[in-house]
């Protein structure tokens, strides 16, 4: 399954483009723009599993840094600051990574 099976290519382009500048990433706005906020809980979980590149069941800090590339291969990497901010917003249990339920909550709170 591909990210474009779940989200519109047009929405992905607009969302990735909106945060092309360094240190401009806002996960709340991004998840809304990309159409993730409107998706069913099941589809949000499917997106999580696509973004979990190493299939560990978690999105770790290094995967978070390249989260935009999970939506569009030519997107930029997040800065260290953006990555830490996203991790802090999503890591509810403090284990240094984001699980599927934490990701679902992060999207729902957007």
């Amino acid at each position: 399954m591909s990210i474009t099976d779940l989200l519109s290519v047009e929405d992905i382009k607009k969302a990735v483009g909106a945060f092309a500048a360094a240190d401009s990433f806002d996960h709340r706005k991004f998840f809304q723009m990309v159409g993730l906020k409107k998706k069913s809980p099941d589809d949000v979980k499917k997106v999580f599993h696509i973004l979990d590149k190493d299939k560990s069941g978690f999105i770790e800090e290094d995967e978070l840094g390249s989260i935009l590339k999970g939506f569009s291969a030519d997107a930029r990497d997040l800065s260290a600051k953006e990555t830490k901010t996203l991790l802090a917003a999503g890591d509810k249990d403090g284990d240094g990574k984001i699980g599927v339920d934490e990701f679902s909550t992060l999207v729902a709170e957007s």
Side-chain angles (χ1 to χ4, degrees):
M1 177 169 289
S2 161
I3 200 90
T4 54
D5 292 334
L6 298 162
L7 301 170
S8 140
V9 172
E10 210 42 52
D11 287 345
I12 291 170
K13 272 187 180 172
K14 285 180 189 168
V16 168
F19 299 101
D23 289 323
S24 67
F25 185 71
D26 177 329
H27 67 274
R28 289 179 188 91
K29 289 180 187 168
F30 180 81
F31 291 151
Q32 288 173 357
M33 288 180 75
V34 84
L36 198 52
K37 179 108 171 106
K38 297 180 284 190
K39 293 294 176 184
S40 71
D42 211 39
D43 282 349
V44 171
K45 288 179 181 177
K46 287 176 186 172
V47 169
F48 170 87
H49 291 296
I50 291 168
L51 297 174
D52 176 18
K53 298 292 184 197
D54 66 2
K55 306 299 176 210
S56 67
F58 297 94
I59 300 176
E60 292 90 359
E61 192 168 341
D62 60 325
E63 290 170 318
L64 276 179
S66 59
I67 195 167
L68 292 179
K69 289 185 175 168
F71 291 90
S72 177
D74 61 354
R76 69 177 179 89
D77 285 329
L78 297 184
S79 69
K81 178 182 170 190
E82 289 170 316
T83 303
K84 297 267 186 222
T85 300
L86 182 54
L87 182 61
D91 181 20
K92 301 298 184 192
D93 63 7
D95 64 357
K97 53 194 174 187
I98 296 176
V100 67
D101 292 333
E102 291 170 319
F103 182 76
S104 297
T105 300
L106 187 65
V107 170
E109 290 174 349
S110 294

